[in-house]
Amino acid sequence: MTTLERNPMVPAAPPSLIEDFYTPEEIATLFSVIRENGPWRLILAHHFSSTEEYLAISGGKDRKPDAQLSDFVAPVFRGFLANDGVVFYPELHDIYFGRKLLDTAKRLHGAKYGMAHDLLFNLCGPSHSFDAGHFDTAVFRGMGLFNTPIWLLAIMSKCGLFDEWEVKSAQVLTYFSKSDIDGGFTYWPEGPDSDPARFAAPFWNTAFLTDNSRMYHRREGNGARDRRDYPGLDLASELHPGADGEWSIRNGDEEIRRFGDEDMRMLVHYTALLFDDLSEVRRFQDHTDDLDPEKVFGMLIDDMRSRGATVVEPGDPMNDAAFVAQLTDFYSMAPSRYPAEAPLDVR
Protein backbone atom coordinates (compact mmCIF):
# COMPACT_ATOMS: atom_id res chain seq x y z
CA MET A 1 0.00 0.00 0.00
CA THR A 2 1.20 3.51 -0.70
CA THR A 3 0.33 7.04 0.29
CA LEU A 4 -0.36 9.09 -2.80
CA GLU A 5 1.24 12.52 -3.12
CA ARG A 6 -2.24 13.99 -3.46
CA ASN A 7 -5.76 12.74 -3.11
CA PRO A 8 -7.47 12.70 -6.50
CA MET A 9 -10.88 12.11 -4.96
CA VAL A 10 -11.66 15.77 -4.27
CA PRO A 11 -14.54 17.29 -6.25
CA ALA A 12 -14.33 20.39 -8.41
CA ALA A 13 -16.71 22.03 -5.92
CA PRO A 14 -18.75 20.90 -2.91
CA PRO A 15 -22.38 19.99 -3.59
CA SER A 16 -24.85 22.86 -3.83
CA LEU A 17 -28.59 22.70 -3.19
CA ILE A 18 -31.40 23.70 -5.51
CA GLU A 19 -34.88 23.62 -4.00
CA ASP A 20 -38.02 22.82 -6.03
CA PHE A 21 -35.98 21.61 -8.99
CA TYR A 22 -38.62 19.85 -11.09
CA THR A 23 -41.97 21.38 -12.01
CA PRO A 24 -45.13 19.70 -10.68
CA GLU A 25 -45.78 18.40 -14.19
CA GLU A 26 -42.28 16.90 -14.42
CA ILE A 27 -42.67 15.26 -11.01
CA ALA A 28 -45.98 13.76 -12.05
CA THR A 29 -44.40 12.38 -15.23
CA LEU A 30 -41.42 10.87 -13.40
CA PHE A 31 -43.59 9.25 -10.75
CA SER A 32 -46.01 7.95 -13.37
CA VAL A 33 -43.21 6.29 -15.37
CA ILE A 34 -41.77 4.69 -12.23
CA ARG A 35 -45.13 3.44 -11.01
CA GLU A 36 -46.33 2.14 -14.36
CA ASN A 37 -43.21 0.36 -15.58
CA GLY A 38 -42.14 -1.86 -12.71
CA PRO A 39 -41.27 -4.21 -11.25
CA TRP A 40 -37.79 -2.91 -10.49
CA ARG A 41 -34.71 -4.86 -9.45
CA LEU A 42 -32.22 -4.35 -6.63
CA ILE A 43 -29.18 -2.27 -7.51
CA LEU A 44 -26.98 -5.32 -6.93
CA ALA A 45 -29.10 -7.39 -9.31
CA HIS A 46 -27.78 -5.24 -12.14
CA HIS A 47 -24.24 -6.44 -11.36
CA PHE A 48 -24.60 -10.01 -10.03
CA SER A 49 -26.52 -12.94 -11.43
CA SER A 50 -27.29 -14.64 -8.10
CA THR A 51 -27.24 -14.12 -4.36
CA GLU A 52 -24.61 -16.85 -4.09
CA GLU A 53 -22.35 -15.00 -6.54
CA TYR A 54 -22.55 -11.85 -4.44
CA LEU A 55 -22.06 -13.62 -1.11
CA ALA A 56 -19.05 -15.47 -2.51
CA ILE A 57 -17.10 -12.21 -2.69
CA SER A 58 -18.59 -10.25 0.18
CA GLY A 59 -18.98 -10.33 3.90
CA GLY A 60 -15.39 -11.19 4.77
CA LYS A 61 -13.76 -14.41 5.94
CA ASP A 62 -15.75 -14.36 9.19
CA ARG A 63 -19.09 -14.37 7.41
CA LYS A 64 -21.52 -16.79 9.02
CA PRO A 65 -22.30 -19.85 6.86
CA ASP A 66 -26.04 -19.15 6.76
CA ALA A 67 -25.59 -15.50 5.71
CA GLN A 68 -28.33 -13.93 3.63
CA LEU A 69 -28.21 -11.02 1.23
CA SER A 70 -30.11 -8.91 3.78
CA ASP A 71 -27.15 -9.23 6.16
CA PHE A 72 -25.03 -7.07 3.85
CA VAL A 73 -27.11 -4.89 1.59
CA ALA A 74 -30.03 -2.51 1.81
CA PRO A 75 -33.21 -3.11 -0.20
CA VAL A 76 -32.62 -0.28 -2.66
CA PHE A 77 -34.13 -0.73 -6.10
CA ARG A 78 -33.00 0.89 -9.36
CA GLY A 79 -34.46 1.62 -12.75
CA PHE A 80 -32.68 3.05 -15.79
CA LEU A 81 -34.74 5.73 -17.52
CA ALA A 82 -32.28 6.90 -20.20
CA ASN A 83 -28.65 6.28 -21.08
CA ASP A 84 -26.12 7.58 -23.62
CA GLY A 85 -28.65 9.60 -25.56
CA VAL A 86 -31.40 6.97 -25.62
CA VAL A 87 -34.64 7.61 -23.69
CA PHE A 88 -36.26 4.36 -22.61
CA TYR A 89 -39.63 5.98 -21.84
CA PRO A 90 -40.80 8.58 -24.42
CA GLU A 91 -42.64 10.57 -21.75
CA LEU A 92 -39.25 11.57 -20.33
CA HIS A 93 -37.78 12.91 -23.56
CA ASP A 94 -38.20 16.58 -22.68
CA ILE A 95 -36.81 16.06 -19.18
CA TYR A 96 -33.73 14.11 -20.26
CA PHE A 97 -32.89 16.39 -23.18
CA GLY A 98 -34.14 19.59 -21.56
CA ARG A 99 -31.86 22.54 -21.00
CA LYS A 100 -32.62 22.70 -17.29
CA LEU A 101 -30.70 19.53 -16.39
CA LEU A 102 -27.83 20.12 -18.81
CA ASP A 103 -27.38 23.82 -18.05
CA THR A 104 -27.44 23.06 -14.32
CA ALA A 105 -24.76 20.38 -14.75
CA LYS A 106 -22.57 22.64 -16.89
CA ARG A 107 -22.37 25.17 -14.07
CA LEU A 108 -20.29 22.87 -11.90
CA HIS A 109 -17.24 23.05 -14.19
CA GLY A 110 -18.15 26.20 -16.09
CA ALA A 111 -18.28 24.02 -19.20
CA LYS A 112 -19.36 25.39 -22.56
CA TYR A 113 -20.56 22.10 -24.02
CA GLY A 114 -22.20 19.01 -22.60
CA MET A 115 -24.26 15.94 -23.35
CA ALA A 116 -26.84 14.01 -21.37
CA HIS A 117 -25.33 10.74 -20.17
CA ASP A 118 -27.67 8.82 -17.87
CA LEU A 119 -30.96 9.21 -16.04
CA LEU A 120 -31.94 6.65 -13.42
CA PHE A 121 -33.63 6.36 -10.06
CA ASN A 122 -33.03 4.57 -6.74
CA LEU A 123 -35.98 3.85 -4.46
CA CYS A 124 -36.26 2.27 -1.02
CA GLY A 125 -38.39 2.17 2.09
CA PRO A 126 -37.06 2.22 5.67
CA SER A 127 -33.66 0.54 5.55
CA HIS A 128 -30.13 0.35 6.86
CA SER A 129 -27.22 1.71 4.87
CA PHE A 130 -24.17 -0.53 4.91
CA ASP A 131 -22.46 1.69 2.33
CA ALA A 132 -19.20 2.90 3.89
CA GLY A 133 -18.85 5.51 1.14
CA HIS A 134 -18.40 5.20 -2.61
CA PHE A 135 -17.91 7.35 -5.70
CA ASP A 136 -19.64 7.13 -9.07
CA THR A 137 -17.96 5.49 -12.05
CA ALA A 138 -15.94 7.92 -14.17
CA VAL A 139 -15.76 7.99 -17.96
CA PHE A 140 -12.35 8.10 -19.63
CA ARG A 141 -11.74 8.62 -23.32
CA GLY A 142 -11.81 5.11 -24.76
CA MET A 143 -12.76 3.38 -21.49
CA GLY A 144 -16.01 3.40 -19.54
CA LEU A 145 -18.67 1.03 -18.29
CA PHE A 146 -19.37 -0.01 -21.88
CA ASN A 147 -16.05 -1.86 -22.12
CA THR A 148 -14.28 -1.79 -18.74
CA PRO A 149 -15.08 -3.50 -15.40
CA ILE A 150 -16.06 -1.28 -12.50
CA TRP A 151 -13.08 -2.32 -10.37
CA LEU A 152 -10.59 -1.08 -12.99
CA LEU A 153 -12.42 2.22 -13.54
CA ALA A 154 -12.36 2.76 -9.76
CA ILE A 155 -8.60 2.20 -9.61
CA MET A 156 -8.09 4.52 -12.60
CA SER A 157 -9.92 7.24 -10.66
CA LYS A 158 -8.18 6.67 -7.33
CA CYS A 159 -4.63 6.49 -8.66
CA GLY A 160 -4.74 9.94 -10.32
CA LEU A 161 -2.67 8.77 -13.32
CA PHE A 162 -5.38 9.18 -15.92
CA ASP A 163 -6.78 12.61 -15.13
CA GLU A 164 -5.92 14.00 -18.56
CA TRP A 165 -8.14 11.34 -20.19
CA GLU A 166 -11.07 11.68 -17.80
CA VAL A 167 -14.19 13.24 -19.24
CA LYS A 168 -15.52 15.82 -16.80
CA SER A 169 -18.97 15.08 -15.48
CA ALA A 170 -21.55 16.47 -13.09
CA GLN A 171 -24.57 14.96 -11.43
CA VAL A 172 -27.93 16.47 -10.57
CA LEU A 173 -29.36 14.32 -7.77
CA THR A 174 -32.95 15.10 -6.84
CA TYR A 175 -34.31 13.60 -3.62
CA PHE A 176 -37.88 12.85 -2.62
CA SER A 177 -38.23 11.79 1.01
CA LYS A 178 -40.92 12.96 3.45
CA SER A 179 -39.47 11.21 6.50
CA ASP A 180 -37.12 13.12 8.79
CA ILE A 181 -35.89 9.99 10.59
CA ASP A 182 -32.24 9.93 9.52
CA GLY A 183 -32.04 9.51 5.72
CA GLY A 184 -29.54 12.24 4.91
CA PHE A 185 -26.69 12.42 2.41
CA THR A 186 -23.10 12.15 3.71
CA TYR A 187 -20.21 13.35 1.56
CA TRP A 188 -16.47 13.92 1.85
CA PRO A 189 -15.71 17.21 0.02
CA GLU A 190 -12.01 17.25 0.97
CA GLY A 191 -11.33 13.59 0.25
CA PRO A 192 -11.99 10.36 2.16
CA ASP A 193 -9.25 11.04 4.72
CA SER A 194 -10.96 14.26 5.84
CA ASP A 195 -14.06 14.97 7.86
CA PRO A 196 -17.44 14.39 6.21
CA ALA A 197 -20.28 16.81 5.72
CA ARG A 198 -23.95 16.03 5.33
CA PHE A 199 -27.33 17.26 4.22
CA ALA A 200 -30.13 16.26 6.58
CA ALA A 201 -33.56 15.00 5.53
CA PRO A 202 -36.37 15.53 4.81
CA PHE A 203 -36.03 16.39 1.13
CA TRP A 204 -38.74 16.89 -1.42
CA ASN A 205 -37.80 17.87 -4.94
CA THR A 206 -34.44 18.98 -3.54
CA ALA A 207 -31.60 18.77 -6.07
CA PHE A 208 -27.88 18.54 -5.32
CA LEU A 209 -25.47 19.66 -8.03
CA THR A 210 -22.43 17.53 -7.36
CA ASP A 211 -19.21 16.01 -8.71
CA ASN A 212 -19.85 12.44 -7.59
CA SER A 213 -17.23 10.79 -9.79
CA ARG A 214 -14.64 12.70 -7.74
CA MET A 215 -16.28 12.60 -4.33
CA TYR A 216 -16.97 9.86 -1.82
CA HIS A 217 -20.58 9.95 -0.67
CA ARG A 218 -23.22 7.68 0.80
CA ARG A 219 -26.93 7.27 1.44
CA GLU A 220 -27.64 7.22 5.13
CA GLY A 221 -29.96 4.72 6.79
CA ASN A 222 -33.51 6.02 6.72
CA GLY A 223 -37.01 5.61 8.07
CA ALA A 224 -38.42 3.88 11.12
CA ARG A 225 -35.50 2.15 12.82
CA ASP A 226 -37.55 -0.90 13.81
CA ARG A 227 -38.49 -1.54 10.15
CA ARG A 228 -35.04 -1.50 8.55
CA ASP A 229 -34.46 -5.27 8.47
CA TYR A 230 -35.76 -7.31 5.52
CA PRO A 231 -35.70 -11.07 6.22
CA GLY A 232 -36.03 -12.99 2.99
CA LEU A 233 -34.50 -10.33 0.76
CA ASP A 234 -32.91 -12.05 -2.22
CA LEU A 235 -31.20 -10.93 -5.40
CA ALA A 236 -34.40 -11.88 -7.24
CA SER A 237 -36.55 -9.64 -4.99
CA GLU A 238 -38.43 -6.99 -6.93
CA LEU A 239 -40.22 -3.76 -6.14
CA HIS A 240 -43.81 -3.54 -7.39
CA PRO A 241 -46.14 -0.55 -7.30
CA GLY A 242 -49.12 -1.13 -5.03
CA ALA A 243 -52.50 0.50 -4.61
CA ASP A 244 -53.05 3.80 -2.80
CA GLY A 245 -49.45 4.98 -3.14
CA GLU A 246 -47.91 1.87 -1.61
CA TRP A 247 -44.93 -0.20 -2.73
CA SER A 248 -44.57 -3.97 -2.41
CA ILE A 249 -41.30 -5.93 -2.23
CA ARG A 250 -41.87 -9.46 -3.46
CA ASN A 251 -40.07 -12.72 -4.05
CA GLY A 252 -42.22 -14.01 -6.86
CA ASP A 253 -45.77 -14.07 -5.49
CA GLU A 254 -44.65 -13.75 -1.87
CA GLU A 255 -44.70 -10.26 -0.40
CA ILE A 256 -41.92 -9.67 2.12
CA ARG A 257 -42.54 -5.98 2.84
CA ARG A 258 -44.97 -3.20 2.01
CA PHE A 259 -44.42 0.51 2.59
CA GLY A 260 -46.15 3.73 1.61
CA ASP A 261 -45.04 6.93 -0.06
CA GLU A 262 -44.62 8.50 3.39
CA ASP A 263 -41.77 6.01 4.02
CA MET A 264 -40.27 6.19 0.54
CA ARG A 265 -36.83 7.61 -0.13
CA MET A 266 -36.24 8.18 -3.84
CA LEU A 267 -33.36 9.66 -5.79
CA VAL A 268 -33.60 10.73 -9.44
CA HIS A 269 -30.02 10.70 -10.72
CA TYR A 270 -28.85 12.57 -13.84
CA THR A 271 -25.31 12.67 -15.19
CA ALA A 272 -23.93 14.89 -17.94
CA LEU A 273 -20.56 14.65 -19.69
CA LEU A 274 -18.96 18.08 -20.01
CA PHE A 275 -16.42 19.74 -22.27
CA ASP A 276 -14.60 23.08 -22.08
CA ASP A 277 -14.32 23.63 -25.83
CA LEU A 278 -14.89 22.01 -29.21
CA SER A 279 -11.41 20.49 -29.27
CA GLU A 280 -12.37 18.46 -26.18
CA VAL A 281 -15.63 17.42 -27.83
CA ARG A 282 -13.82 16.28 -30.98
CA ARG A 283 -11.15 14.42 -29.04
CA PHE A 284 -13.93 12.49 -27.27
CA GLN A 285 -16.06 11.86 -30.35
CA ASP A 286 -13.26 11.15 -32.83
CA HIS A 287 -11.29 8.85 -30.50
CA THR A 288 -7.99 10.52 -31.37
CA ASP A 289 -6.58 10.26 -27.84
CA ASP A 290 -8.16 7.17 -26.28
CA LEU A 291 -6.88 4.95 -23.54
CA ASP A 292 -6.78 1.18 -23.94
CA PRO A 293 -6.17 -1.57 -21.36
CA GLU A 294 -2.57 -2.17 -22.48
CA LYS A 295 -1.64 1.48 -21.89
CA VAL A 296 -3.55 1.61 -18.59
CA PHE A 297 -1.95 -1.51 -17.13
CA GLY A 298 1.48 -0.39 -18.33
CA MET A 299 1.12 2.95 -16.55
CA LEU A 300 -0.18 1.31 -13.38
CA ILE A 301 2.68 -1.18 -13.24
CA ASP A 302 5.25 1.56 -13.88
CA ASP A 303 3.72 3.69 -11.12
CA MET A 304 3.71 0.88 -8.56
CA ARG A 305 7.31 -0.03 -9.36
CA SER A 306 8.42 3.60 -9.15
CA ARG A 307 6.98 3.66 -5.63
CA GLY A 308 8.90 0.59 -4.54
CA ALA A 309 6.41 -2.20 -5.18
CA THR A 310 7.49 -5.54 -6.63
CA VAL A 311 5.10 -6.37 -9.46
CA VAL A 312 5.09 -9.67 -11.30
CA GLU A 313 4.13 -9.00 -14.91
CA PRO A 314 0.67 -10.57 -15.33
CA GLY A 315 -0.10 -12.56 -18.44
CA ASP A 316 -3.79 -11.62 -18.31
CA PRO A 317 -3.99 -8.49 -16.14
CA MET A 318 -7.75 -8.12 -16.49
CA ASN A 319 -8.38 -11.56 -14.99
CA ASP A 320 -5.30 -12.25 -12.83
CA ALA A 321 -6.78 -12.38 -9.31
CA ALA A 322 -3.45 -11.80 -7.55
CA PHE A 323 -2.63 -8.79 -9.72
CA VAL A 324 -6.11 -7.31 -9.26
CA ALA A 325 -5.75 -7.76 -5.49
CA GLN A 326 -2.37 -6.00 -5.57
CA LEU A 327 -3.80 -3.06 -7.49
CA THR A 328 -6.75 -2.84 -5.12
CA ASP A 329 -4.48 -2.85 -2.05
CA PHE A 330 -1.88 -0.47 -3.48
CA TYR A 331 -4.40 2.22 -4.38
CA SER A 332 -6.71 1.57 -1.45
CA MET A 333 -8.55 4.49 0.12
CA ALA A 334 -11.84 4.77 1.95
CA PRO A 335 -13.60 7.04 4.45
CA SER A 336 -13.13 6.22 8.12
CA ARG A 337 -14.98 9.10 9.79
CA TYR A 338 -18.74 9.54 9.81
CA PRO A 339 -21.11 12.19 11.19
CA ALA A 340 -22.19 11.57 14.76
CA GLU A 341 -25.79 11.93 13.57
CA ALA A 342 -25.29 9.28 10.85
CA PRO A 343 -22.91 6.51 11.94
CA LEU A 344 -22.13 3.64 9.59
CA ASP A 345 -24.50 0.70 9.93
CA VAL A 346 -22.61 -2.55 10.48
CA ARG A 347 -23.66 -6.16 10.99
Side-chain angles (χ1 to χ4, degrees):
M1 188 180 297
T2 186
T3 301
L4 300 178
E5 295 176 2
R6 64 180 186 83
N7 195 319
M9 303 311 295
V10 174
S16 58
L17 261 63
I18 308 168
E19 298 290 354
D20 301 319
F21 183 76
Y22 289 110
T23 67
E25 293 76 19
E26 289 170 332
I27 294 172
T29 300
L30 285 162
F31 275 62
S32 175
V33 166
I34 293 168
R35 279 208 161 272
E36 294 175 8
N37 291 280
W40 305 103
R41 297 189 296 160
L42 285 168
I43 291 177
L44 282 183
H46 292 279
H47 304 291
F48 298 94
S49 60
S50 69
T51 298
E52 289 71 24
E53 182 179 309
Y54 174 77
L55 292 178
I57 63 169
S58 64
K61 63 182 180 180
D62 297 325
R63 174 170 59 84
K64 58 185 180 181
D66 59 345
Q68 301 180 32
L69 190 72
S70 55
D71 293 328
F72 302 99
V73 300
V76 184
F77 298 83
R78 168 170 292 177
F80 291 90
L81 306 174
N83 193 39
D84 280 342
V86 178
V87 181
F88 302 142
Y89 304 96
E91 307 95 307
L92 300 177
H93 182 280
D94 291 347
I95 294 176
Y96 179 61
F97 288 112
R99 290 195 59 173
K100 177 165 61 177
L101 277 168
L102 185 57
D103 285 352
T104 300
K106 285 161 61 176
R107 292 206 311 259
L108 184 73
H109 294 279
K112 188 173 182 180
Y113 301 99
M115 59 182 287
H117 183 49
D118 63 34
L119 182 68
L120 56 89
F121 73 90
N122 298 337
L123 196 157
C124 67
S127 62
H128 297 289
S129 175
F130 302 111
D131 179 9
H134 70 279
F135 54 91
D136 293 355
T137 305
V139 175
F140 299 88
R141 291 194 298 277
M143 297 179 72
L145 276 177
F146 57 91
N147 65 356
T148 307
I150 291 175
W151 67 262
L152 180 54
L153 293 172
I155 287 170
M156 290 169 67
S157 293
K158 290 189 290 185
C159 72
L161 299 174
F162 305 100
D163 290 1
E164 65 180 278
W165 288 275
E166 185 177 351
V167 181
K168 288 189 287 292
S169 67
Q171 290 73 36
V172 181
L173 315 178
T174 309
Y175 284 91
F176 298 88
S177 178
K178 296 177 181 178
S179 172
D180 62 357
I181 303 174
D182 306 328
F185 177 81
T186 302
Y187 61 97
W188 285 261
E190 301 299 328
D193 295 330
S194 299
D195 290 330
R198 71 187 292 260
F199 293 116
F203 311 110
W204 193 262
N205 197 22
T206 303
F208 304 162
L209 173 61
T210 183
D211 188 11
N212 273 6
S213 65
R214 286 278 184 164
M215 185 181 72
Y216 277 87
H217 58 278
R218 67 185 293 264
R219 176 190 72 86
E220 298 172 5
N222 64 282
R225 297 183 181 96
D226 61 351
R227 299 185 63 219
R228 295 184 186 181
D229 291 312
Y230 286 72
L233 186 72
D234 187 82
L235 211 64
S237 299
E238 293 181 323
L239 180 70
H240 295 252
D244 301 322
E246 291 192 317
W247 299 90
S248 173
I249 299 175
R250 303 180 195 167
N251 293 340
D253 294 331
E254 178 191 3
E255 181 175 272
I256 64 173
R257 178 63 60 86
R258 180 177 289 264
F259 62 90
D261 274 347
E262 69 279 3
D263 292 318
M264 176 195 73
R265 187 184 192 275
M266 186 173 77
L267 159 67
V268 177
H269 183 294
Y270 168 85
T271 298
L273 303 183
L274 304 169
F275 309 92
D276 290 337
D277 51 44
L278 282 176
S279 66
E280 279 195 1
V281 175
R282 294 190 181 105
R283 197 156 59 238
F284 174 74
Q285 293 183 335
D286 297 343
H287 303 284
T288 53
D289 184 29
D290 280 3
L291 288 169
D292 58 48
E294 182 179 4
K295 183 178 184 69
V296 166
F297 286 123
M299 291 176 65
L300 288 169
I301 290 170
D302 288 346
D303 183 57
M304 287 193 291
R305 286 174 173 168
S306 73
R307 296 172 184 270
T310 299
V311 182
V312 177
E313 198 83 31
D316 181 10
M318 197 73 78
N319 299 294
D320 186 313
F323 178 64
V324 172
Q326 184 178 20
L327 284 171
T328 301
D329 182 63
F330 190 85
Y331 294 110
S332 175
M333 63 174 69
S336 59
R337 283 174 269 179
Y338 299 88
E341 306 88 343
L344 177 64
D345 287 338
V346 293
R347 287 253 188 233

